[in-house]
Amino acid sequence: MADFVGAVDQGTTSTRFMIFDHDGTEVARHQLEHEQIMPRSGWVEHDPVEIWERTNSVMQNALRHGNLSPSDLAAIGITNQRETTVVWDPRNGRPYYNAIVWQDTRTDSIAAALERDGRGDVIRRKAGLPPATYFSGGKIQWILENVDGVREAAEQGHALFGNTDCWVLWNLTGGPEGGVHATDVTNASRTMLMDLETLDWDDELLSFFGIPRAMLPAINPSSHAEAYGHTRTQRPLRAAIPITSVLGDQQAATVGQVCFTPGEAKNTYGTGNFLVLNTGTELVRSRSGLLTTVAYQFGDNAPVYALEGSIAVTGSAVQWLRDQMKIISDAAESERLSLTVDDSGGIYFVPAFSGLFAPYWRSDARGAIVGLARYHTNGHLARATLEAICYQSRDVVEAMEQDSGVHLDVLKVDGGVTANDLCMQIQADILGVPVSRPVVAETTALGAAYAAGLATGFWRDEDELRTHWQESKRWDPQWSDEQRSEGYEGWKKAVERTLNWAKVE
């Protein structure tokens, strides 16, 4: 009998495979990083072939570490870095170009043109998104227009598009030998190409980007017993295991945090920050710079929608301290260094390396450190980096409350940065609400596993999943209202300094 569910978590900096039991407890995992390719300022790419090879390795190694065989898995789910765009030749599985990552800003002129001539309003109405470099549509257009032969190949049916979920799924299910070319509603909702009401590709939106419809994958529910096929009996598993869920990473974390009730919210701290508020089956149009998106769709049930605030640079700001500035040797040292000072000494760091996402949507913004005096140390900069993570989240919470009228009573948090106790205390202080971390902090893979298990009956229903959620730690706010107000006022001034630095055609 299969007593476990597996989840491929294909993320921005690494790919991992995690295995969970009936209680939602992790029993095994393996994780490998992949290269971050930055050929020009503002350009960020990944090698899709490397990602597929990493997927093979982590699946095999996780099973070996858990002393399990593929037949022990009832199902597999896939979750992924959203918006990262792959275009490949289905005849041989070769990518025509590197994957263009969600952080990449090369399509700023495409987004600006959409905004200038009014097409942006149509995209907002149909897709729930502003025209921005973040989303997949402009990346597909760029590849079609700038990579030799791809336009012709696409028109002849020899080019497929997918975010990394689609790329991994296609390869897992056979690749050139009958691989399933499909995605789910959550990933499709991040392309600027899907109508949120019909849950289908929209011909008018496709025409804005000049994208042939034949390139696009089928759109399926996030959790489904049959829509995504089985792994092939070749590598990595050498067994036919059903793939029964696909979810974009932040929607997967929403499921993993069991935010199934309208008004519940979670914040995931990874490479970026992503705060998602469940709005139920109601489509809430944002007036405050947030994204209207699909949270999940289970089987034949109605889709559940969400408001999302996406922040480009949070955990990657800590990586910048490590890799570029060389002032820390690992992420954990950011906390130790920050604790050498009582506060940030009045400096603010706005890490707008790829522009600013929600709620500003300014691709012309660039990073800035303001308020520096000679006495400031590495400790002050490290602490300002942690505060930047938390202030950006407050920007999103403020916008979310304006759009929804919901005031958060508690913020559920997950992701790697939540291991930093100081950062989570700062988050509670800046928001003025308690911050709660679950026992399983890596909820992205857990959510994909939950969705896969629901499709096969491994878990009965959402109520059963709620019984698995347990709080690991809670941080209560300690700042006074005056501290909170003064700090946020300084942050807003610092954000203003980052604008109008990059030219947008």
Side-chain angles (χ1 to χ4, degrees):
M1 179 179 178
D3 291 325
F4 306 96
V5 173
V8 175
D9 184 355
Q10 201 297 292
T12 305
T13 59
S14 67
T15 304
R16 62 186 163 187
F17 189 63
M18 297 182 68
I19 301 171
F20 301 91
D21 64 15
H22 275 282
D23 294 326
T25 301
E26 176 190 333
V27 297
R29 78 158 79 184
H30 192 68
Q31 182 168 347
L32 291 170
E33 292 189 354
H34 54 262
E35 183 183 3
Q36 305 298 303
I37 303 166
M38 302 177 190
R40 299 187 194 176
S41 177
W43 290 30
V44 188
E45 299 175 358
H46 294 155
D47 178 354
V49 175
E50 182 186 22
I51 285 174
W52 169 231
E53 291 298 329
R54 293 290 190 265
T55 303
N56 273 281
S57 295
V58 297
M59 294 180 82
Q60 293 169 7
N61 284 310
L63 285 167
R64 187 172 71 251
H65 292 166
N67 196 26
L68 301 171
S69 68
S71 61
D72 290 317
L73 300 178
I76 293 171
I78 297 173
T79 183
N80 62 293
Q81 52 167 322
R82 304 167 304 173
E83 301 94 17
T84 294
T85 297
V86 187
V87 175
W88 70 94
D89 187 337
R91 295 169 296 182
N92 53 32
R94 294 175 188 161
Y96 285 104
Y97 189 77
N98 277 339
I100 302 180
V101 179
W102 58 272
Q103 301 158 308
D104 190 285
T105 60
R106 78 186 68 189
T107 59
D108 51 4
S109 61
I110 293 174
L114 292 167
E115 198 70 276
R116 276 197 306 270
D117 63 18
R119 289 176 292 170
D121 292 334
V122 179
I123 295 172
R124 286 185 181 86
R125 176 172 53 83
K126 288 190 171 185
L129 310 173
T133 60
Y134 184 17
F135 308 111
S136 310
K139 296 176 172 63
I140 305 170
Q141 179 180 340
W142 189 93
I143 291 172
L144 289 171
E145 292 177 349
N146 291 277
V147 181
D148 288 345
V150 178
R151 168 71 67 186
E152 293 78 10
E155 290 172 351
Q156 295 167 10
H158 299 322
L160 301 181
F161 152 74
N163 294 331
T164 58
D165 66 301
C166 200
W167 168 248
V168 168
L169 174 70
W170 186 80
N171 280 288
L172 279 173
T173 54
E177 299 176 3
V180 175
H181 186 217
T183 190
D184 87 305
V185 289
T186 68
N187 277 289
S189 74
R190 314 297 295 197
T191 59
M192 297 192 287
L193 305 175
M194 187 190 84
D195 187 310
L196 282 175
E197 294 184 1
T198 66
L199 303 183
D200 194 9
W201 305 119
D202 183 86
D203 288 333
E204 183 179 20
L205 297 179
L206 291 175
S207 72
F208 291 170
F209 300 93
I211 296 172
R213 193 183 184 102
M215 292 182 70
L216 304 178
I219 302 175
N220 297 323
S222 312
S223 173
H224 197 280
E226 299 174 352
Y228 298 108
H230 292 71
T231 58
R232 285 298 180 98
T233 53
Q234 294 81 23
R235 67 178 192 148
L237 298 183
R238 292 179 168 80
I241 310 301
I243 300 171
T244 54
S245 79
V246 172
L247 282 156
D249 53 8
Q250 302 316 313
Q251 287 92 339
T254 303
V255 173
Q257 286 276 33
V258 295
C259 292
F260 298 134
T261 302
E264 291 185 318
K266 68 87 199 174
N267 199 15
T268 295
Y269 299 76
T271 302
N273 261 35
F274 304 89
L275 206 158
V276 177
L277 174 73
N278 184 324
T279 63
T281 55
E282 179 185 2
L283 249 173
V284 177
R285 305 285 183 180
S286 177
R287 304 175 304 279
S288 306
L290 301 178
L291 310 178
T292 302
T293 193
V294 182
Y296 55 85
Q297 184 185 21
F298 293 157
D300 296 326
N301 294 336
V304 172
Y305 294 98
L307 285 171
E308 178 180 325
S310 303
I311 301 165
V313 177
T314 53
S316 55
V318 176
Q319 290 178 322
W320 179 77
L321 293 182
R322 181 193 69 187
D323 299 337
Q324 272 77 28
M325 295 296 99
K326 311 292 186 184
I327 70 170
I328 58 174
S329 57
D330 56 43
E333 193 176 349
S334 66
E335 182 174 15
R336 296 192 294 270
L337 188 57
S338 297
L339 286 168
T340 64
V341 295
D342 293 330
D343 52 42
S344 61
I347 68 171
Y348 292 87
F349 172 30
V350 185
F353 301 146
S354 302
L356 288 169
F357 285 9
Y360 304 101
W361 298 108
R362 294 290 296 264
S363 61
D364 62 321
R366 288 297 178 267
I369 302 169
V370 301
L372 282 170
R374 189 166 182 179
Y375 84 95
H376 285 119
T377 66
N378 285 352
H380 292 107
L381 178 56
R383 193 162 187 130
T385 302
L386 300 187
E387 290 184 356
I389 293 172
C390 302
Y391 278 123
Q392 290 182 101
S393 294
R394 175 164 173 180
D395 282 338
V396 169
V397 169
E398 298 260 325
M400 207 162 268
E401 290 182 351
Q402 292 173 22
D403 277 339
S404 68
V406 173
H407 177 74
L408 291 183
D409 295 321
V410 63
L411 181 65
K412 289 183 175 181
V413 299
D414 56 73
V417 178
T418 63
N420 188 317
D421 287 345
L422 176 60
C423 188
M424 293 300 97
Q425 181 60 58
I426 292 170
Q427 185 69 88
D429 292 336
I430 285 174
L431 287 180
V433 300
V435 168
S436 174
R437 183 181 67 199
V439 170
V440 181
E442 299 295 349
T443 55
T444 305
L446 180 62
Y450 278 167
L454 285 173
T456 62
F458 189 84
W459 288 294
R460 291 189 309 275
D461 52 30
E462 296 167 19
D463 288 336
E464 181 181 1
L465 299 182
R466 284 190 179 95
T467 67
H468 297 157
W469 193 94
Q470 293 181 315
E471 184 176 81
S472 167
K473 188 165 183 176
R474 177 175 291 235
W475 294 265
D476 293 313
Q478 297 176 355
W479 284 5
S480 67
D481 290 343
E482 183 179 5
Q483 282 179 290
R484 192 171 298 115
S485 178
E486 288 181 358
Y488 193 49
E489 182 179 347
W491 167 258
K492 300 294 280 188
K493 286 172 61 178
V495 169
E496 287 294 322
R497 303 297 193 273
T498 70
L499 306 180
N500 299 308
W501 281 99
K503 184 178 180 182
V504 178
E505 298 296 337

